[in-house]
Amino acid sequence: MYKILKAEQLSATNYLMVIDAPRVAAHCEPGQFIIVKLDEKGERIPLTICDYDREAGTITIVFQPIGASTQKFAELKTGDSFMDFTGPLGCPSELIEMPIEELKEKKIIFIGGGVGAAPVYPQVKWMKEHGVDVDCIIGAKNKDLLILEKEMEAVAANYYPCTDDGSYGFSGMVTAQLEALYAEGKSYDVAVIIGPMIMMKFGALCAKKLGIKECIVSMNPIMVDGTGMCGACRVLVNDEVKFACVDGPEFDGYGVDFDAAMKRQQMYKDLEQRAILKLQEGDTHHGGCGNCGGDK
Ligand code: NAD
Ligand code: FES
């Protein structure tokens, strides 16, 4: 069992947990993910690692309760446990595998959208720990949904918060903030863009338009079981078939076919909706009226 050492609601839609998982903490690197399972019958949920402490043997995860399982996770308290906590999985961020001197020569901007700020944080923290200055834009719908602010401020050379409704920081989406930085005379060699699929699609288009040479995105949102077996996370990158959970989660943002990936993601949503209904109504429904017994 993997004990929850801390459970905290960060905002109306985001939850943070610190988990006692020494073996994962000993080996994980920024960019990797874990698979968490609540109990024997629980669904396997892949979540990117938000932070790790090798000495304390802990892993921090941040999630949004959008499906049946993550809704159950949100009800857990400090002292509760997960049955399985498997990892680290996937490939570490390719940036952290570069020689430090090479990294220091690059002008890098990290861009996190909503809960996508969580996987951005360990990468920016790693950069700071290795003496690499990077800038960071974090966007959210409004001030209350902006997460990990203090943490980001502590590790980014320049931190640019922005909100869609203008309630805090720059008024506008992350792409508008990036364009505004360019208008002020800033420029970058690499953009790491992590968040909702639609944001990564338009973020990559914006980065290309601005002439940013390299763009990295994280395809964690299309993963389902994270095992390389279900096929859900199939993605075309520069016309090659890749699987986000095995070959990624990070890929060349200029090569990802976002439209095809979003179409596939949509196909898996119906099953998820059925799982939510099952959670709400028990075993008596099959996605319809809930009265006939259906596929019970
Ligand atoms: P959200 O919808 O509130 O969007 C966050 C920010 O993204 C916005 O404030 C805006 O700045 C930017 N954005 C959104 N649409 C945009 C567009 N069309 N053009 C430019 N910028 C845009 O985010 P949320 O509700 O917190 O995000 C939830 C999603 O994040 C889930 O779908 C989840 O799958 C995804 N997610 C992705 C990763 C990853 O590794 N890529 C990790 C965790 C969560
Ligand atoms: Fe199932 Fe990648 S999530 S194959």
Side-chain angles (χ1 to χ4, degrees), residues 100-137:
I100 295 293
E101 289 316 311
E102 214 176 291
L103 265 184
K104 283 184 180 169
E105 280 169 22
K106 288 183 187 282
K107 285 183 281 175
I108 307 173
I109 179 111
F110 282 85
I111 304 174
V115 69
V120 162
Y121 175 66
Q123 300 203 30
V124 178
K125 184 180 172 191
W126 187 97
M127 294 288 164
K128 165 97 177 166
E129 285 168 356
H130 290 79
V132 184
D133 283 344
V134 300
D135 287 357
C136 187
I137 297 174

PDB file of all heavy atoms in Angstrom, residues 100-137:
ATOM      1  N   ILE A 100      24.734  20.055 -19.841  1.00  0.00           N
ATOM      2  CA  ILE A 100      24.305  21.284 -19.161  1.00  0.00           C
ATOM      3  C   ILE A 100      24.790  22.543 -19.892  1.00  0.00           C
ATOM      4  O   ILE A 100      24.046  23.512 -20.054  1.00  0.00           O
ATOM      5  CB  ILE A 100      24.810  21.310 -17.689  1.00  0.00           C
ATOM      6  CG1 ILE A 100      24.145  20.192 -16.891  1.00  0.00           C
ATOM      7  CG2 ILE A 100      24.554  22.661 -17.024  1.00  0.00           C
ATOM      8  CD1 ILE A 100      22.659  20.354 -16.684  1.00  0.00           C
ATOM      9  N   GLU A 101      26.050  22.526 -20.389  1.00  0.00           N
ATOM     10  CA  GLU A 101      26.581  23.720 -21.043  1.00  0.00           C
ATOM     11  C   GLU A 101      25.770  24.057 -22.300  1.00  0.00           C
ATOM     12  O   GLU A 101      25.539  25.216 -22.614  1.00  0.00           O
ATOM     13  CB  GLU A 101      28.072  23.540 -21.378  1.00  0.00           C
ATOM     14  CG  GLU A 101      28.976  23.544 -20.143  1.00  0.00           C
ATOM     15  CD  GLU A 101      28.631  24.653 -19.128  1.00  0.00           C
ATOM     16  OE1 GLU A 101      28.493  25.807 -19.549  1.00  0.00           O
ATOM     17  OE2 GLU A 101      28.485  24.340 -17.931  1.00  0.00           O
ATOM     18  N   GLU A 102      25.321  22.996 -23.000  1.00  0.00           N
ATOM     19  CA  GLU A 102      24.494  23.188 -24.200  1.00  0.00           C
ATOM     20  C   GLU A 102      23.141  23.799 -23.820  1.00  0.00           C
ATOM     21  O   GLU A 102      22.632  24.697 -24.482  1.00  0.00           O
ATOM     22  CB  GLU A 102      24.279  21.815 -24.850  1.00  0.00           C
ATOM     23  CG  GLU A 102      24.211  21.854 -26.364  1.00  0.00           C
ATOM     24  CD  GLU A 102      24.103  20.451 -26.919  1.00  0.00           C
ATOM     25  OE1 GLU A 102      25.112  19.686 -26.806  1.00  0.00           O
ATOM     26  OE2 GLU A 102      23.040  20.104 -27.423  1.00  0.00           O
ATOM     27  N   LEU A 103      22.592  23.285 -22.717  1.00  0.00           N
ATOM     28  CA  LEU A 103      21.298  23.795 -22.230  1.00  0.00           C
ATOM     29  C   LEU A 103      21.386  25.269 -21.865  1.00  0.00           C
ATOM     30  O   LEU A 103      20.481  26.054 -22.142  1.00  0.00           O
ATOM     31  CB  LEU A 103      20.870  23.027 -20.974  1.00  0.00           C
ATOM     32  CG  LEU A 103      19.938  21.833 -21.105  1.00  0.00           C
ATOM     33  CD1 LEU A 103      19.595  21.302 -19.732  1.00  0.00           C
ATOM     34  CD2 LEU A 103      18.667  22.196 -21.867  1.00  0.00           C
ATOM     35  N   LYS A 104      22.498  25.626 -21.215  1.00  0.00           N
ATOM     36  CA  LYS A 104      22.660  27.006 -20.748  1.00  0.00           C
ATOM     37  C   LYS A 104      22.704  28.000 -21.905  1.00  0.00           C
ATOM     38  O   LYS A 104      22.410  29.172 -21.736  1.00  0.00           O
ATOM     39  CB  LYS A 104      23.937  27.135 -19.901  1.00  0.00           C
ATOM     40  CG  LYS A 104      23.768  26.578 -18.496  1.00  0.00           C
ATOM     41  CD  LYS A 104      25.010  26.821 -17.677  1.00  0.00           C
ATOM     42  CE  LYS A 104      24.854  26.271 -16.272  1.00  0.00           C
ATOM     43  NZ  LYS A 104      26.102  26.260 -15.521  1.00  0.00           N
ATOM     44  N   GLU A 105      23.094  27.495 -23.078  1.00  0.00           N
ATOM     45  CA  GLU A 105      23.159  28.388 -24.242  1.00  0.00           C
ATOM     46  C   GLU A 105      21.797  28.606 -24.885  1.00  0.00           C
ATOM     47  O   GLU A 105      21.607  29.488 -25.715  1.00  0.00           O
ATOM     48  CB  GLU A 105      24.115  27.806 -25.282  1.00  0.00           C
ATOM     49  CG  GLU A 105      25.563  28.097 -24.922  1.00  0.00           C
ATOM     50  CD  GLU A 105      26.519  27.315 -25.761  1.00  0.00           C
ATOM     51  OE1 GLU A 105      26.146  26.865 -26.873  1.00  0.00           O
ATOM     52  OE2 GLU A 105      27.664  27.117 -25.303  1.00  0.00           O
ATOM     53  N   LYS A 106      20.833  27.775 -24.527  1.00  0.00           N
ATOM     54  CA  LYS A 106      19.503  27.884 -25.157  1.00  0.00           C
ATOM     55  C   LYS A 106      18.610  28.817 -24.355  1.00  0.00           C
ATOM     56  O   LYS A 106      18.685  28.844 -23.125  1.00  0.00           O
ATOM     57  CB  LYS A 106      18.836  26.497 -25.208  1.00  0.00           C
ATOM     58  CG  LYS A 106      19.445  25.568 -26.218  1.00  0.00           C
ATOM     59  CD  LYS A 106      18.664  24.264 -26.239  1.00  0.00           C
ATOM     60  CE  LYS A 106      19.319  23.218 -27.120  1.00  0.00           C
ATOM     61  NZ  LYS A 106      19.096  23.426 -28.537  1.00  0.00           N
ATOM     62  N   LYS A 107      17.756  29.556 -25.072  1.00  0.00           N
ATOM     63  CA  LYS A 107      16.748  30.364 -24.379  1.00  0.00           C
ATOM     64  C   LYS A 107      15.458  29.539 -24.376  1.00  0.00           C
ATOM     65  O   LYS A 107      14.893  29.254 -25.445  1.00  0.00           O
ATOM     66  CB  LYS A 107      16.540  31.685 -25.115  1.00  0.00           C
ATOM     67  CG  LYS A 107      17.706  32.652 -24.885  1.00  0.00           C
ATOM     68  CD  LYS A 107      17.467  33.981 -25.556  1.00  0.00           C
ATOM     69  CE  LYS A 107      17.751  33.913 -27.037  1.00  0.00           C
ATOM     70  NZ  LYS A 107      17.436  35.109 -27.781  1.00  0.00           N
ATOM     71  N   ILE A 108      15.066  29.117 -23.174  1.00  0.00           N
ATOM     72  CA  ILE A 108      13.957  28.162 -23.071  1.00  0.00           C
ATOM     73  C   ILE A 108      12.776  28.794 -22.355  1.00  0.00           C
ATOM     74  O   ILE A 108      12.934  29.442 -21.324  1.00  0.00           O
ATOM     75  CB  ILE A 108      14.400  26.891 -22.305  1.00  0.00           C
ATOM     76  CG1 ILE A 108      15.677  26.312 -22.934  1.00  0.00           C
ATOM     77  CG2 ILE A 108      13.290  25.849 -22.275  1.00  0.00           C
ATOM     78  CD1 ILE A 108      16.291  25.152 -22.160  1.00  0.00           C
ATOM     79  N   ILE A 109      11.590  28.579 -22.921  1.00  0.00           N
ATOM     80  CA  ILE A 109      10.369  29.020 -22.228  1.00  0.00           C
ATOM     81  C   ILE A 109       9.482  27.788 -21.974  1.00  0.00           C
ATOM     82  O   ILE A 109       9.260  26.980 -22.878  1.00  0.00           O
ATOM     83  CB  ILE A 109       9.589  30.094 -23.022  1.00  0.00           C
ATOM     84  CG1 ILE A 109       8.309  30.508 -22.286  1.00  0.00           C
ATOM     85  CG2 ILE A 109       9.214  29.674 -24.433  1.00  0.00           C
ATOM     86  CD1 ILE A 109       8.311  31.871 -21.743  1.00  0.00           C
ATOM     87  N   PHE A 110       9.046  27.626 -20.721  1.00  0.00           N
ATOM     88  CA  PHE A 110       8.089  26.575 -20.370  1.00  0.00           C
ATOM     89  C   PHE A 110       6.709  27.211 -20.299  1.00  0.00           C
ATOM     90  O   PHE A 110       6.549  28.290 -19.718  1.00  0.00           O
ATOM     91  CB  PHE A 110       8.442  25.970 -19.010  1.00  0.00           C
ATOM     92  CG  PHE A 110       9.588  25.000 -19.079  1.00  0.00           C
ATOM     93  CD1 PHE A 110      10.896  25.446 -19.021  1.00  0.00           C
ATOM     94  CD2 PHE A 110       9.353  23.640 -19.222  1.00  0.00           C
ATOM     95  CE1 PHE A 110      11.960  24.562 -19.107  1.00  0.00           C
ATOM     96  CE2 PHE A 110      10.410  22.743 -19.303  1.00  0.00           C
ATOM     97  CZ  PHE A 110      11.714  23.203 -19.242  1.00  0.00           C
ATOM     98  N   ILE A 111       5.733  26.539 -20.897  1.00  0.00           N
ATOM     99  CA  ILE A 111       4.373  27.086 -20.920  1.00  0.00           C
ATOM    100  C   ILE A 111       3.422  26.016 -20.382  1.00  0.00           C
ATOM    101  O   ILE A 111       3.309  24.932 -20.950  1.00  0.00           O
ATOM    102  CB  ILE A 111       3.963  27.490 -22.358  1.00  0.00           C
ATOM    103  CG1 ILE A 111       4.996  28.482 -22.935  1.00  0.00           C
ATOM    104  CG2 ILE A 111       2.558  28.073 -22.374  1.00  0.00           C
ATOM    105  CD1 ILE A 111       4.767  28.844 -24.387  1.00  0.00           C
ATOM    106  N   GLY A 112       2.769  26.322 -19.257  1.00  0.00           N
ATOM    107  CA  GLY A 112       1.843  25.365 -18.644  1.00  0.00           C
ATOM    108  C   GLY A 112       0.435  25.925 -18.689  1.00  0.00           C
ATOM    109  O   GLY A 112       0.219  27.107 -18.426  1.00  0.00           O
ATOM    110  N   GLY A 113      -0.530  25.081 -19.021  1.00  0.00           N
ATOM    111  CA  GLY A 113      -1.930  25.518 -19.056  1.00  0.00           C
ATOM    112  C   GLY A 113      -2.741  24.759 -18.050  1.00  0.00           C
ATOM    113  O   GLY A 113      -2.755  23.529 -18.052  1.00  0.00           O
ATOM    114  N   GLY A 114      -3.405  25.452 -17.134  1.00  0.00           N
ATOM    115  CA  GLY A 114      -4.274  24.822 -16.134  1.00  0.00           C
ATOM    116  C   GLY A 114      -3.502  23.810 -15.317  1.00  0.00           C
ATOM    117  O   GLY A 114      -2.400  24.084 -14.817  1.00  0.00           O
ATOM    118  N   VAL A 115      -4.050  22.598 -15.218  1.00  0.00           N
ATOM    119  CA  VAL A 115      -3.400  21.543 -14.427  1.00  0.00           C
ATOM    120  C   VAL A 115      -2.083  21.101 -15.081  1.00  0.00           C
ATOM    121  O   VAL A 115      -1.244  20.457 -14.444  1.00  0.00           O
ATOM    122  CB  VAL A 115      -4.394  20.380 -14.167  1.00  0.00           C
ATOM    123  CG1 VAL A 115      -4.693  19.636 -15.445  1.00  0.00           C
ATOM    124  CG2 VAL A 115      -3.891  19.433 -13.107  1.00  0.00           C
ATOM    125  N   GLY A 116      -1.858  21.492 -16.318  1.00  0.00           N
ATOM    126  CA  GLY A 116      -0.588  21.228 -17.009  1.00  0.00           C
ATOM    127  C   GLY A 116       0.589  21.946 -16.343  1.00  0.00           C
ATOM    128  O   GLY A 116       1.748  21.667 -16.655  1.00  0.00           O
ATOM    129  N   ALA A 117       0.299  22.861 -15.414  1.00  0.00           N
ATOM    130  CA  ALA A 117       1.374  23.495 -14.645  1.00  0.00           C
ATOM    131  C   ALA A 117       2.109  22.438 -13.810  1.00  0.00           C
ATOM    132  O   ALA A 117       3.313  22.578 -13.543  1.00  0.00           O
ATOM    133  CB  ALA A 117       0.792  24.562 -13.708  1.00  0.00           C
ATOM    134  N   ALA A 118       1.391  21.380 -13.420  1.00  0.00           N
ATOM    135  CA  ALA A 118       1.990  20.361 -12.537  1.00  0.00           C
ATOM    136  C   ALA A 118       3.166  19.630 -13.191  1.00  0.00           C
ATOM    137  O   ALA A 118       4.246  19.545 -12.597  1.00  0.00           O
ATOM    138  CB  ALA A 118       0.919  19.388 -12.053  1.00  0.00           C
ATOM    139  N   PRO A 119       3.021  19.107 -14.424  1.00  0.00           N
ATOM    140  CA  PRO A 119       4.200  18.478 -15.048  1.00  0.00           C
ATOM    141  C   PRO A 119       5.282  19.469 -15.479  1.00  0.00           C
ATOM    142  O   PRO A 119       6.440  19.069 -15.678  1.00  0.00           O
ATOM    143  CB  PRO A 119       3.620  17.750 -16.271  1.00  0.00           C
ATOM    144  CG  PRO A 119       2.239  18.203 -16.429  1.00  0.00           C
ATOM    145  CD  PRO A 119       1.781  18.814 -15.157  1.00  0.00           C
ATOM    146  N   VAL A 120       4.940  20.750 -15.613  1.00  0.00           N
ATOM    147  CA  VAL A 120       5.953  21.758 -15.954  1.00  0.00           C
ATOM    148  C   VAL A 120       6.886  21.988 -14.758  1.00  0.00           C
ATOM    149  O   VAL A 120       8.102  22.132 -14.912  1.00  0.00           O
ATOM    150  CB  VAL A 120       5.265  23.097 -16.374  1.00  0.00           C
ATOM    151  CG1 VAL A 120       6.244  24.263 -16.314  1.00  0.00           C
ATOM    152  CG2 VAL A 120       4.683  22.975 -17.779  1.00  0.00           C
ATOM    153  N   TYR A 121       6.298  21.990 -13.545  1.00  0.00           N
ATOM    154  CA  TYR A 121       7.066  22.375 -12.357  1.00  0.00           C
ATOM    155  C   TYR A 121       8.373  21.578 -12.148  1.00  0.00           C
ATOM    156  O   TYR A 121       9.435  22.187 -11.976  1.00  0.00           O
ATOM    157  CB  TYR A 121       6.175  22.320 -11.108  1.00  0.00           C
ATOM    158  CG  TYR A 121       6.959  22.579  -9.856  1.00  0.00           C
ATOM    159  CD1 TYR A 121       7.528  23.833  -9.623  1.00  0.00           C
ATOM    160  CD2 TYR A 121       7.190  21.577  -8.921  1.00  0.00           C
ATOM    161  CE1 TYR A 121       8.298  24.077  -8.495  1.00  0.00           C
ATOM    162  CE2 TYR A 121       7.948  21.808  -7.794  1.00  0.00           C
ATOM    163  CZ  TYR A 121       8.504  23.053  -7.582  1.00  0.00           C
ATOM    164  OH  TYR A 121       9.271  23.285  -6.479  1.00  0.00           O
ATOM    165  N   PRO A 122       8.356  20.223 -12.193  1.00  0.00           N
ATOM    166  CA  PRO A 122       9.615  19.506 -11.918  1.00  0.00           C
ATOM    167  C   PRO A 122      10.692  19.791 -12.953  1.00  0.00           C
ATOM    168  O   PRO A 122      11.893  19.725 -12.650  1.00  0.00           O
ATOM    169  CB  PRO A 122       9.201  18.024 -11.939  1.00  0.00           C
ATOM    170  CG  PRO A 122       7.931  17.972 -12.694  1.00  0.00           C
ATOM    171  CD  PRO A 122       7.242  19.288 -12.464  1.00  0.00           C
ATOM    172  N   GLN A 123      10.283  20.127 -14.172  1.00  0.00           N
ATOM    173  CA  GLN A 123      11.281  20.432 -15.211  1.00  0.00           C
ATOM    174  C   GLN A 123      11.943  21.777 -14.933  1.00  0.00           C
ATOM    175  O   GLN A 123      13.168  21.918 -15.039  1.00  0.00           O
ATOM    176  CB  GLN A 123      10.614  20.450 -16.587  1.00  0.00           C
ATOM    177  CG  GLN A 123       9.961  19.123 -16.946  1.00  0.00           C
ATOM    178  CD  GLN A 123       9.808  18.932 -18.439  1.00  0.00           C
ATOM    179  OE1 GLN A 123      10.599  19.431 -19.222  1.00  0.00           O
ATOM    180  NE2 GLN A 123       8.794  18.202 -18.847  1.00  0.00           N
ATOM    181  N   VAL A 124      11.125  22.765 -14.566  1.00  0.00           N
ATOM    182  CA  VAL A 124      11.672  24.106 -14.292  1.00  0.00           C
ATOM    183  C   VAL A 124      12.540  24.036 -13.032  1.00  0.00           C
ATOM    184  O   VAL A 124      13.618  24.635 -12.957  1.00  0.00           O
ATOM    185  CB  VAL A 124      10.529  25.140 -14.155  1.00  0.00           C
ATOM    186  CG1 VAL A 124      11.091  26.523 -13.831  1.00  0.00           C
ATOM    187  CG2 VAL A 124       9.713  25.201 -15.440  1.00  0.00           C
ATOM    188  N   LYS A 125      12.086  23.255 -12.050  1.00  0.00           N
ATOM    189  CA  LYS A 125      12.861  23.084 -10.811  1.00  0.00           C
ATOM    190  C   LYS A 125      14.214  22.439 -11.117  1.00  0.00           C
ATOM    191  O   LYS A 125      15.255  22.863 -10.609  1.00  0.00           O
ATOM    192  CB  LYS A 125      12.054  22.202  -9.843  1.00  0.00           C
ATOM    193  CG  LYS A 125      12.686  22.026  -8.492  1.00  0.00           C
ATOM    194  CD  LYS A 125      11.804  21.135  -7.619  1.00  0.00           C
ATOM    195  CE  LYS A 125      12.494  20.764  -6.329  1.00  0.00           C
ATOM    196  NZ  LYS A 125      11.773  19.709  -5.605  1.00  0.00           N
ATOM    197  N   TRP A 126      14.198  21.416 -11.979  1.00  0.00           N
ATOM    198  CA  TRP A 126      15.433  20.722 -12.366  1.00  0.00           C
ATOM    199  C   TRP A 126      16.398  21.708 -13.025  1.00  0.00           C
ATOM    200  O   TRP A 126      17.608  21.701 -12.763  1.00  0.00           O
ATOM    201  CB  TRP A 126      15.081  19.572 -13.317  1.00  0.00           C
ATOM    202  CG  TRP A 126      16.233  18.666 -13.658  1.00  0.00           C
ATOM    203  CD1 TRP A 126      16.542  17.476 -13.073  1.00  0.00           C
ATOM    204  CD2 TRP A 126      17.239  18.877 -14.676  1.00  0.00           C
ATOM    205  NE1 TRP A 126      17.668  16.935 -13.659  1.00  0.00           N
ATOM    206  CE2 TRP A 126      18.110  17.779 -14.646  1.00  0.00           C
ATOM    207  CE3 TRP A 126      17.474  19.887 -15.607  1.00  0.00           C
ATOM    208  CZ2 TRP A 126      19.197  17.645 -15.502  1.00  0.00           C
ATOM    209  CZ3 TRP A 126      18.568  19.775 -16.464  1.00  0.00           C
ATOM    210  CH2 TRP A 126      19.417  18.667 -16.404  1.00  0.00           C
ATOM    211  N   MET A 127      15.855  22.564 -13.895  1.00  0.00           N
ATOM    212  CA  MET A 127      16.689  23.560 -14.593  1.00  0.00           C
ATOM    213  C   MET A 127      17.353  24.478 -13.565  1.00  0.00           C
ATOM    214  O   MET A 127      18.554  24.731 -13.634  1.00  0.00           O
ATOM    215  CB  MET A 127      15.824  24.408 -15.559  1.00  0.00           C
ATOM    216  CG  MET A 127      15.258  23.613 -16.713  1.00  0.00           C
ATOM    217  SD  MET A 127      16.520  23.156 -17.923  1.00  0.00           S
ATOM    218  CE  MET A 127      15.669  21.881 -18.828  1.00  0.00           C
ATOM    219  N   LYS A 128      16.568  24.963 -12.612  1.00  0.00           N
ATOM    220  CA  LYS A 128      17.105  25.871 -11.585  1.00  0.00           C
ATOM    221  C   LYS A 128      18.220  25.156 -10.794  1.00  0.00           C
ATOM    222  O   LYS A 128      19.286  25.727 -10.554  1.00  0.00           O
ATOM    223  CB  LYS A 128      15.955  26.282 -10.659  1.00  0.00           C
ATOM    224  CG  LYS A 128      16.344  26.916  -9.358  1.00  0.00           C
ATOM    225  CD  LYS A 128      16.278  28.406  -9.431  1.00  0.00           C
ATOM    226  CE  LYS A 128      16.603  29.034  -8.089  1.00  0.00           C
ATOM    227  NZ  LYS A 128      16.857  30.442  -8.174  1.00  0.00           N
ATOM    228  N   GLU A 129      17.965  23.899 -10.416  1.00  0.00           N
ATOM    229  CA  GLU A 129      18.959  23.140  -9.635  1.00  0.00           C
ATOM    230  C   GLU A 129      20.266  22.926 -10.408  1.00  0.00           C
ATOM    231  O   GLU A 129      21.314  22.734  -9.821  1.00  0.00           O
ATOM    232  CB  GLU A 129      18.380  21.773  -9.231  1.00  0.00           C
ATOM    233  CG  GLU A 129      17.373  21.872  -8.097  1.00  0.00           C
ATOM    234  CD  GLU A 129      16.588  20.569  -7.894  1.00  0.00           C
ATOM    235  OE1 GLU A 129      16.749  19.604  -8.667  1.00  0.00           O
ATOM    236  OE2 GLU A 129      15.776  20.546  -6.956  1.00  0.00           O
ATOM    237  N   HIS A 130      20.167  22.945 -11.751  1.00  0.00           N
ATOM    238  CA  HIS A 130      21.355  22.726 -12.579  1.00  0.00           C
ATOM    239  C   HIS A 130      21.895  24.029 -13.169  1.00  0.00           C
ATOM    240  O   HIS A 130      22.688  24.002 -14.122  1.00  0.00           O
ATOM    241  CB  HIS A 130      21.057  21.694 -13.680  1.00  0.00           C
ATOM    242  CG  HIS A 130      20.877  20.311 -13.122  1.00  0.00           C
ATOM    243  ND1 HIS A 130      19.706  19.898 -12.519  1.00  0.00           N
ATOM    244  CD2 HIS A 130      21.741  19.269 -13.015  1.00  0.00           C
ATOM    245  CE1 HIS A 130      19.850  18.662 -12.093  1.00  0.00           C
ATOM    246  NE2 HIS A 130      21.071  18.247 -12.376  1.00  0.00           N
ATOM    247  N   GLY A 131      21.445  25.155 -12.624  1.00  0.00           N
ATOM    248  CA  GLY A 131      21.996  26.458 -13.020  1.00  0.00           C
ATOM    249  C   GLY A 131      21.547  26.941 -14.388  1.00  0.00           C
ATOM    250  O   GLY A 131      22.217  27.771 -15.000  1.00  0.00           O
ATOM    251  N   VAL A 132      20.418  26.407 -14.893  1.00  0.00           N
ATOM    252  CA  VAL A 132      19.917  26.838 -16.202  1.00  0.00           C
ATOM    253  C   VAL A 132      18.717  27.775 -15.969  1.00  0.00           C
ATOM    254  O   VAL A 132      17.722  27.372 -15.373  1.00  0.00           O
ATOM    255  CB  VAL A 132      19.466  25.614 -17.057  1.00  0.00           C
ATOM    256  CG1 VAL A 132      19.032  26.063 -18.441  1.00  0.00           C
ATOM    257  CG2 VAL A 132      20.572  24.569 -17.135  1.00  0.00           C
ATOM    258  N   ASP A 133      18.843  29.009 -16.439  1.00  0.00           N
ATOM    259  CA  ASP A 133      17.752  29.987 -16.285  1.00  0.00           C
ATOM    260  C   ASP A 133      16.709  29.788 -17.373  1.00  0.00           C
ATOM    261  O   ASP A 133      17.051  29.818 -18.568  1.00  0.00           O
ATOM    262  CB  ASP A 133      18.298  31.417 -16.411  1.00  0.00           C
ATOM    263  CG  ASP A 133      19.016  31.840 -15.144  1.00  0.00           C
ATOM    264  OD1 ASP A 133      18.816  31.173 -14.101  1.00  0.00           O
ATOM    265  OD2 ASP A 133      19.784  32.818 -15.207  1.00  0.00           O
ATOM    266  N   VAL A 134      15.466  29.594 -16.969  1.00  0.00           N
ATOM    267  CA  VAL A 134      14.395  29.467 -17.973  1.00  0.00           C
ATOM    268  C   VAL A 134      13.218  30.343 -17.568  1.00  0.00           C
ATOM    269  O   VAL A 134      13.007  30.605 -16.381  1.00  0.00           O
ATOM    270  CB  VAL A 134      13.925  27.993 -18.127  1.00  0.00           C
ATOM    271  CG1 VAL A 134      15.059  27.086 -18.560  1.00  0.00           C
ATOM    272  CG2 VAL A 134      13.277  27.460 -16.841  1.00  0.00           C
ATOM    273  N   ASP A 135      12.462  30.782 -18.569  1.00  0.00           N
ATOM    274  CA  ASP A 135      11.255  31.562 -18.308  1.00  0.00           C
ATOM    275  C   ASP A 135      10.043  30.628 -18.276  1.00  0.00           C
ATOM    276  O   ASP A 135      10.109  29.514 -18.812  1.00  0.00           O
ATOM    277  CB  ASP A 135      11.071  32.619 -19.404  1.00  0.00           C
ATOM    278  CG  ASP A 135      12.079  33.753 -19.262  1.00  0.00           C
ATOM    279  OD1 ASP A 135      12.856  33.735 -18.285  1.00  0.00           O
ATOM    280  OD2 ASP A 135      12.079  34.657 -20.124  1.00  0.00           O
ATOM    281  N   CYS A 136       8.970  31.125 -17.682  1.00  0.00           N
ATOM    282  CA  CYS A 136       7.805  30.253 -17.505  1.00  0.00           C
ATOM    283  C   CYS A 136       6.498  31.046 -17.578  1.00  0.00           C
ATOM    284  O   CYS A 136       6.325  32.028 -16.852  1.00  0.00           O
ATOM    285  CB  CYS A 136       7.959  29.584 -16.135  1.00  0.00           C
ATOM    286  SG  CYS A 136       6.750  28.342 -15.834  1.00  0.00           S
ATOM    287  N   ILE A 137       5.610  30.610 -18.466  1.00  0.00           N
ATOM    288  CA  ILE A 137       4.258  31.188 -18.548  1.00  0.00           C
ATOM    289  C   ILE A 137       3.296  30.139 -17.989  1.00  0.00           C
ATOM    290  O   ILE A 137       3.353  28.978 -18.394  1.00  0.00           O
ATOM    291  CB  ILE A 137       3.846  31.460 -20.019  1.00  0.00           C
ATOM    292  CG1 ILE A 137       4.758  32.491 -20.674  1.00  0.00           C
ATOM    293  CG2 ILE A 137       2.385  31.887 -20.103  1.00  0.00           C
ATOM    294  CD1 ILE A 137       4.478  32.690 -22.181  1.00  0.00           C
TER     295      ILE A 137
END
